[in-house]
Amino acid sequence: MAYALANANESPINKPFIVLWLSPGTGGLHLQSARALANFLEDSSINVKLLDGPDDIASSANPSAGDLFVVNWEKLNEEKDGKWANLMVRNGEKVNLFDMLRSATGDHLDMITVIDESHTQLQGPKTQKLMADIANIIPSIQVEMSATPNTELDPSLEDKRIHNKVYVQFDAVEDAGMVRRSAILNADLESVQSVYNDVPLEQQVLWGAWEKLEELTQRYRDVGSSVIPLLLIQYPDGAQAGPRASVVEEFLKGQGLSPNETYATWLHKNHSPDLEKINRNSSPYRALIFKHAIATGWDCPRAQVLVQFRNPTSDTFKIQTIGRIMRTPEQKHYTDDKLNVAYVYSDLPDISVEVTSTDPNVVVKDRPLKRISSRYPRGGLKLTSVFQPRQRNFDFPTIDNLKPALRYALDTDVSSLLTDSPPLPPTSRVRTDGYLDAKTLLGGQGEFSGDFVRGIHSDIYVQAEFDKILTSRIDPYLSKELSRPLIKRFLMNWFSSERGDWSETQVQYFVIDHSDAISTAINHACAQAAQLDESAAIANAQAKRQINSEWEVPESELVPSSKWEESQNKGLLFTPAYLPLGRSKPELRFEQWLGEEFTHSRIVWWWKNGTRDEKYLGVPYEHNNNDEICYPDYLVMSKTGILWVVEIKDVHDPDGEVSGKTHSKAKGLLYWAQKQTWPTRAVVAVPQDNRNGGIVVQRGDALAWKPASRDTLSINDGWTALNMNETL
């Protein structure tokens, strides 16, 4: 939001404006917001100011363009006898907020009102009255921000693009490493109970949370991080709070923690000092006790373990509270997947800790799987694995690459079409007094006769046509909505430099009159920008490539029960034996064969590898002079001690030709396997349709590649049956 405001303020086509940022004050959120905004906007044209009292307003009585005012809206909402009671808004000797806004209006400044955590109080009568009073002085663009939005938009205003919804897709946030992958409830609590079997359940929950905190602390050290994870403990309301508090405080004392030194409180009438620094990764506070304060907006990404003794009163509160432990402290995921998970402990019956979202594409990982340690090699496999972050989706062009490309395209394709005089409104020719006789009509052919007249289109039509032309040809970018404002901004800048006396409406007339030339220029610019974007994305991903020389099959994994199913084939390394839905028919045939091999004691275990994650096995290979990563489908440990790394393909694999992608993967797998310390064979396998055919693999030098087909497989032309009893 900060960067969007900065971009809007720096755009020459926008009128100058100020920003009123309304934030909840609970837990000092408005102070935290002001600090964060000032940090984000330090090098921008936006000037962040905190309005925390009448003196702050008096010092900003005459706002300037680009001023952003952060205000605690709960202070503004105070009423007495139907009038505003807070000194910041009521009439008195000092300048109040309304006076300040009148001054901005007098200086012809527009305003953007940002309502942070809008789901909490926006619909309340006091807030609606406050917004109405502000709008009477200076109408504004209203931006509502929330992780759990609840505002219903008017469809008719959506059609006119007056009401807009902007979603940050969850996948994009997760891919960027900004959030942990999932939350798990009462992890390892059964084993904790076996050790602390003589204490009540509430203390067992505390022990489970504390031991998890200590485990995470060590795991952060092991990956070279200075993060000290934080434990959150949520008290219940009413009469239950006292007894819970005594148990918790006695427990923390037993762990060597002291109030206001190594554990903090954030309660209504009991605040620890120096809470502003608790979000620092190296803060001495190990735990924080709270009731309500951090449920909305509070940002402390090192918080990772939550003990919930307070029964959530609503779905929104539940989601917001768990959201406090879902953020990552260093904005990245770790090779140790246990650091990518949030942990919730509670003794409340039937508690739900599902993390839900308005985004239908979000998949909640709610089922824990564990590696069967008795089957896995005691010393580990110590394989080499390569992880390369995913390239960004090409939904819209980047600013730096689009701007020069579009300027060049307009100079080349459009500049010669410019006229000295402004263009006239576009017109359309329509037939008048058209005539078509019944015989011709019933015969199914013919056309109306008559003369033509011309008419000027409405502003709504002009705007719609203009917007359509801007994004009619933007390949390979996918999102017209996200691309349009960028293209429009630079297009209007170009016209401003070339024909500064033309109004925005006259520019739209020109664009409609020369739609082919404009769309061609935009298409050329997008193609050029995309080449630069793709090169930068590849270079950025390769620069972030990580090599793990001691990779192991993960000890545990969280998976979405809605997208996974229980496998009926024996020998899977994880328990419960769950696998992702949507596996291919060759993969299903291969898994059935693996189950039979396990039954006949020819293999010890098998495991289904994943993709695009540092916890899965990645093998590098080269294809068409590009460095790629292959995530082989299965790992299989044979009874003879050979680790088989298997990439599954179908008969008539479309990439299976000589020098095709599958051939390149086969060469990469072969080269990789030869360099592993554990005895490893890496192969491309084809499970045949005919069960008698078994599983066949390309053997020998991958350079002598033969495409897979029913003909070549049937005569063993370069392929042979997979034999798990093979020895080195």
Side-chain angles (χ1 to χ4, degrees):
M1 189 69 239
Y3 298 141
L5 292 171
N7 287 336
N9 191 55
E10 291 162 6
S11 172
I13 66 172
N14 289 332
K15 289 179 61 179
F17 62 87
I18 62 172
V19 181
L20 185 64
W21 187 290
L22 300 178
S23 173
T26 305
L29 180 58
H30 66 301
L31 304 176
Q32 188 179 94
S33 296
R35 286 193 299 271
L37 287 166
N39 181 50
F40 295 149
L41 297 168
E42 183 178 7
D43 297 323
S44 78
S45 57
I46 297 285
N47 184 25
V48 179
K49 298 182 178 181
L50 175 65
L51 301 183
D52 207 26
D55 291 339
D56 295 328
I57 292 180
S59 64
S60 301
N62 298 299
S64 301
D67 283 349
L68 186 156
F69 301 101
V70 180
V71 190
N72 175 358
W73 71 9
E74 293 164 356
K75 282 188 176 182
L76 302 184
N77 278 348
E78 295 175 6
E79 271 191 313
K80 185 176 182 181
D81 299 328
K83 297 181 180 180
W84 297 119
N86 190 275
L87 291 174
M88 296 175 67
V89 287
R90 79 183 189 190
N91 293 324
E93 297 179 0
K94 292 187 176 182
V95 175
N96 64 25
L97 178 67
F98 299 137
D99 295 329
M100 188 188 82
L101 297 181
R102 290 188 188 95
S103 176
T105 303
D107 289 339
H108 305 290
L109 297 174
D110 282 351
M111 186 167 80
I112 297 175
T113 302
V114 179
I115 303 171
D116 196 5
E117 304 292 347
S118 59
H119 64 279
T120 58
Q121 298 186 52
L122 184 58
Q123 305 305 321
K126 290 183 180 180
T127 302
Q128 290 186 2
K129 179 182 176 183
L130 174 65
M131 298 306 297
D133 286 352
I134 291 174
N136 285 334
I137 299 171
I138 177 170
S140 65
I141 294 174
Q142 181 169 306
V143 181
E144 303 170 17
M145 294 200 308
S146 173
T148 51
N150 58 7
T151 300
E152 293 295 329
L153 273 62
D154 185 329
S156 65
L157 295 179
E158 282 190 275
D159 292 340
K160 297 176 182 177
R161 299 183 63 202
I162 295 173
H163 280 185
N164 297 278
K165 281 186 178 179
V166 179
Y167 286 111
V168 178
Q169 297 293 331
F170 184 86
D171 286 348
V173 181
E174 186 177 29
D175 286 346
M178 299 295 291
V179 293
R180 296 186 170 103
R181 299 194 185 281
S182 195
I184 185 170
L185 174 63
N186 289 335
D188 304 316
L189 185 59
E190 188 174 359
S191 61
V192 170
Q193 287 182 315
S194 66
V195 176
Y196 304 100
N197 55 14
D198 57 345
V199 299
L201 180 59
E202 60 185 353
Q203 291 188 39
Q204 292 173 344
V205 165
L206 286 169
W207 273 113
W210 180 258
E211 292 189 352
K212 181 59 66 177
L213 188 76
E214 294 283 75
E215 175 193 342
L216 294 173
T217 302
Q218 183 58 50
R219 287 180 180 272
Y220 277 111
R221 293 195 193 105
D222 292 344
V223 298
S225 172
S226 61
V227 172
I228 301 175
L230 181 70
L231 168 66
L232 304 181
I233 303 174
Q234 187 174 23
Y235 282 174
D237 286 328
Q240 298 180 28
R244 292 285 198 186
S246 61
V247 171
V248 168
E249 291 166 13
E250 186 65 26
F251 178 84
L252 294 178
K253 180 180 178 182
Q255 310 316 310
L257 302 189
S258 303
N260 300 329
E261 292 181 6
T262 47
Y263 80 84
T265 53
W266 198 338
L267 304 173
H268 179 57
K269 295 182 179 180
N270 183 8
H271 284 221
S272 293
D274 203 26
L275 277 178
E276 293 181 7
K277 298 178 182 178
I278 196 171
N279 61 346
R280 294 181 179 177
N281 287 338
S282 58
S283 169
Y285 286 126
R286 300 297 311 282
L288 172 67
I289 297 168
F290 74 102
K291 279 188 181 180
H292 306 273
I294 70 167
T296 298
W298 182 72
D299 186 29
C300 182
R302 73 183 184 98
Q304 192 165 359
V305 184
L306 168 67
V307 173
Q308 192 172 51
F309 287 139
R310 179 184 188 276
N311 200 6
T313 56
S314 71
D315 286 344
T316 298
F317 188 91
K318 173 183 62 182
I319 295 166
Q320 290 285 332
T321 303
I322 295 175
R324 300 314 105 202
I325 59 172
M326 290 301 293
R327 302 171 188 179
T328 54
E330 296 178 294
Q331 290 77 56
K332 68 176 183 179
H333 294 140
Y334 302 92
T335 53
D336 183 344
D337 204 43
K338 287 195 174 182
L339 297 177
N340 302 324
V341 177
Y343 299 88
V344 181
Y345 289 83
S346 180
D347 65 345
L348 298 174
D350 302 321
I351 185 174
S352 171
V353 293
E354 293 181 357
V355 181
T356 62
S357 172
T358 53
D359 186 345
N361 296 317
V362 172
V363 178
V364 179
K365 298 174 183 176
D366 56 355
R367 180 175 294 278
L369 310 179
K370 291 187 178 182
R371 192 177 72 194
I372 302 174
S373 58
S374 60
R375 295 182 185 173
Y376 199 70
R378 182 171 298 179
L381 299 173
K382 293 181 172 53
L383 303 178
T384 299
S385 178
V386 178
F387 169 69
Q388 183 168 296
R390 188 183 310 182
Q391 300 174 24
R392 78 172 182 89
N393 291 329
F394 287 93
D395 294 324
F396 59 94
T398 57
I399 294 174
D400 291 342
N401 290 332
L402 176 65
K403 187 175 181 179
L406 186 53
R407 182 188 296 115
Y408 177 81
L410 292 170
D411 288 342
T412 303
D413 299 333
V414 180
S415 182
S416 61
L417 303 176
L418 294 174
T419 57
D420 293 334
S421 57
L424 298 174
T427 62
S428 286
R429 195 178 69 146
V430 295
R431 194 180 293 275
T432 180
D433 296 328
Y435 173 82
L436 184 65
D437 64 74
K439 182 179 179 180
T440 303
L441 176 63
L442 294 174
Q445 56 185 349
E447 62 180 37
F448 282 101
S449 64
D451 297 325
F452 289 91
V453 296
R454 284 193 172 274
I456 296 175
H457 287 293
S458 68
D459 291 342
I460 294 177
Y461 172 89
V462 170
Q463 182 68 57
E465 282 296 300
F466 174 75
D467 288 346
K468 183 169 69 174
I469 293 166
L470 293 186
T471 53
S472 62
R473 297 169 63 193
I474 59 170
D475 295 338
Y477 299 109
L478 304 176
S479 174
K480 294 184 177 182
E481 289 299 316
L482 294 174
S483 301
R484 184 179 292 115
L486 296 173
I487 295 171
K488 180 180 178 181
R489 180 196 307 177
F490 298 135
L491 183 73
M492 298 307 293
N493 286 346
W494 184 83
F495 274 100
S496 178
S497 64
E498 296 293 325
R499 292 293 185 270
D501 57 334
W502 289 9
S503 68
E504 181 175 339
T505 303
Q506 289 168 333
V507 171
Q508 293 176 343
Y509 295 163
F510 180 90
V511 169
I512 293 172
D513 287 342
H514 301 85
S515 59
D516 287 344
I518 295 292
S519 61
T520 297
I522 292 172
N523 190 45
H524 288 166
C526 287
Q528 183 178 345
Q531 287 182 346
L532 298 173
D533 283 344
E534 184 175 13
S535 297
I538 292 173
N540 183 56
Q542 291 179 348
K544 295 180 179 178
R545 179 175 282 195
Q546 304 166 13
I547 299 177
N548 181 3
S549 59
E550 296 189 349
W551 181 90
E552 305 291 343
V553 175
E555 293 180 5
S556 61
E557 185 173 10
L558 275 173
V559 302
S561 58
S562 62
K563 301 288 185 180
W564 286 51
E565 65 180 353
E566 190 168 7
S567 173
Q568 302 304 312
N569 298 305
K570 296 181 179 180
L572 190 60
L573 182 59
F574 272 25
T575 183
Y578 271 72
L579 293 170
L581 294 170
R583 304 185 308 287
S584 66
K585 289 182 179 178
E587 288 177 333
L588 295 174
R589 289 195 292 270
F590 185 60
E591 290 170 9
Q592 183 177 350
W593 182 81
L594 289 173
E596 295 168 359
E597 292 290 290
F598 180 82
T599 300
H600 290 97
S601 300
R602 288 192 281 266
I603 67 172
V604 181
W605 55 261
W606 59 276
W607 179 68
K608 180 77 171 71
N609 193 31
T611 63
R612 298 187 180 277
D613 194 304
E614 58 265 39
K615 68 185 174 187
Y616 298 126
L617 177 65
V619 175
Y621 71 98
E622 184 179 299
H623 181 64
N624 292 339
N625 296 320
N626 290 323
D627 292 330
E628 306 275 359
I629 303 295
C630 167
Y631 292 89
D633 294 310
Y634 295 90
L635 271 65
V636 184
M637 181 62 72
S638 73
K639 196 75 172 180
T640 59
I642 297 176
L643 178 70
W644 291 84
V645 178
V646 186
E647 173 76 358
I648 296 294
K649 294 298 177 184
D650 201 352
V651 177
H652 299 305
D653 169 25
D655 294 322
E657 296 299 321
V658 175
S659 299
K661 201 157 193 174
T662 302
H663 184 196
S664 298
K665 287 182 180 180
K667 289 190 287 186
L669 287 166
L670 178 65
Y671 179 76
W672 170 86
Q674 292 170 348
K675 292 185 172 299
Q676 304 310 303
T677 55
W678 188 276
T680 303
R681 297 282 175 84
V683 295
V684 174
V686 179
Q688 298 189 78
D689 295 325
N690 183 348
R691 288 294 305 130
N692 295 327
I695 312 299
V696 294
V697 296
Q698 185 89 206
R699 302 305 306 275
D701 190 348
L703 295 175
W705 181 259
K706 299 285 185 177
S709 70
R710 287 185 175 84
D711 293 336
T712 57
L713 295 179
S714 63
I715 61 174
N716 288 331
D717 188 5
W719 297 80
T720 186
L722 179 60
N723 178 12
M724 286 293 167
N725 279 328
E726 183 176 334
T727 58
L728 291 176

